[in-house]
Amino acid sequence: MTASPLDNLSAQTDELLATVAAFDSLEQLVEGEPFVTGKRSILSALQKSLGQLAPEDRKDAGALLQEARRRVEAAFDERRATLTSAARAQALEADRLDLGDVVVAQVRAPYTAGHPGIVAATQRQLEDVFIGMGFTVADGPEVESDWYNFEALNIPPAHPSRGMWDTFYVDLGEPETVVLRTHTSPTQIHLMEAAVQSGTLPIHSVMPGRCYRRDTPDARHLAAFHQIEGLVVDRGITFADLAGVIDTFTRAYFGADIQSRLRPAFFPFTEPSAEFEITCTLCRGEGCRTCSQTGWIELGGCGMLDPAVLEAVGIDGDEWSGFAFGFGIDRCAQMRHQIADMRALIENDVRFLRQFS
Ligand code: PHE
């Protein structure tokens, strides 16, 4: 019996099938195609060699080769389908991961819902305390003109007291005319103007919101922080009313064991003015790093409305008097939860944030 080019066909076919089964990526499959079913495959070489056979043998040999090719091509198509769907599943999985840890955490049990951040939660609690004391809550813009942030508050251009607020100026209009508000006090001006216009004095309001100062963040300061402003304009208001509100607030919010004290201070828009301090909650007054060993933490400032401010908004200072206060919401959160370093509030470390859910 003469040797036929197809003598080893069975073993060669098995080898091709094994090669196809071993492709484990679409890239390998594409690269391998010429060698298993294409022009450079043994099947194509055998096809050419059929010409050497005696004419009567060619038909059967051709049929054998066709059958071998059909098997290899079928295996190849099946492998391609498998690898394509695996690649698609992998791409979907990658997309899902791209949505972030939060989504992954929610997809896997146990389900955890988000919660308000500590500063937002503190702001709401503070609003609640003041609403309970008869105040309403108002809002003001974070981008202010120089007039609202400074001039109407009795802080003229180039006055040395401007140094109390390290200002971010917005590149808009004339230089240094538009600012990111350095405190919530400009909202006092908006409220008084509106009340004068609509004839709705008196005012008993608190105004929470974000403020900005060109400050280097440290244990007690952030460059973007939050204040809550208080404003009372009524008839016959005295400093005793102011001290009473501050004291009532401190007890309601921090508890009866935390003291408040007022220390003489200066603000251009209040006269007399005071700084409002509370016992440091981290050391209970002993002195620690957070309170710079003083035992006290300054929450903010306060005072009786300066006649110049009433005049700026057109309120008759003979009929009306009032007081204002403004203090840090972040500082309150820090004191309420005994957070040694305020920068933790903006670092977004979920291990920290989760403690306040
Ligand atoms: N606006 C002042 C500050 O940010 C605080 C303050 C508010 C003082 C109201 C007096 C009255 O420092």
Side-chain angles (χ1 to χ4, degrees), residues 165 182-183 185 188 213 227 229 267 269-270 301-303 324-326:
W165 296 276
T182 58
H183 48 183
S185 298
Q188 286 183 35
R213 286 187 201 171
Q227 285 190 334
E229 191 84 8
F267 295 101
F269 35 94
T270 48
C302 59
F325 57 81

Side-chain angles (χ1 to χ4, degrees), residues 153-236:
L153 290 162
N154 198 27
I155 314 168
H159 192 274
S161 72
R162 285 206 180 199
M164 292 168 83
W165 296 276
D166 293 313
T167 313
F168 281 119
Y169 289 95
V170 179
D171 190 7
L172 206 70
E174 292 290 301
E176 305 198 354
T177 53
V178 180
V179 305
L180 295 185
R181 69 176 172 191
T182 58
H183 48 183
T184 41
S185 298
T187 311
Q188 286 183 35
I189 305 295
H190 289 290
L191 246 58
M192 287 190 279
E193 281 180 344
V196 167
Q197 253 188 4
S198 57
T200 50
L201 285 172
I203 299 171
H204 304 87
S205 286
V206 288
M207 297 142 261
R210 197 182 286 133
C211 308
Y212 306 83
R213 286 187 201 171
R214 212 150 41 78
D215 254 349
T216 306
D218 65 22
R220 284 171 311 191
H221 298 89
L222 299 174
F225 58 102
H226 301 78
Q227 285 190 334
I228 184 161
E229 191 84 8
L231 175 69
V232 169
V233 183
D234 207 337
R235 296 185 176 90

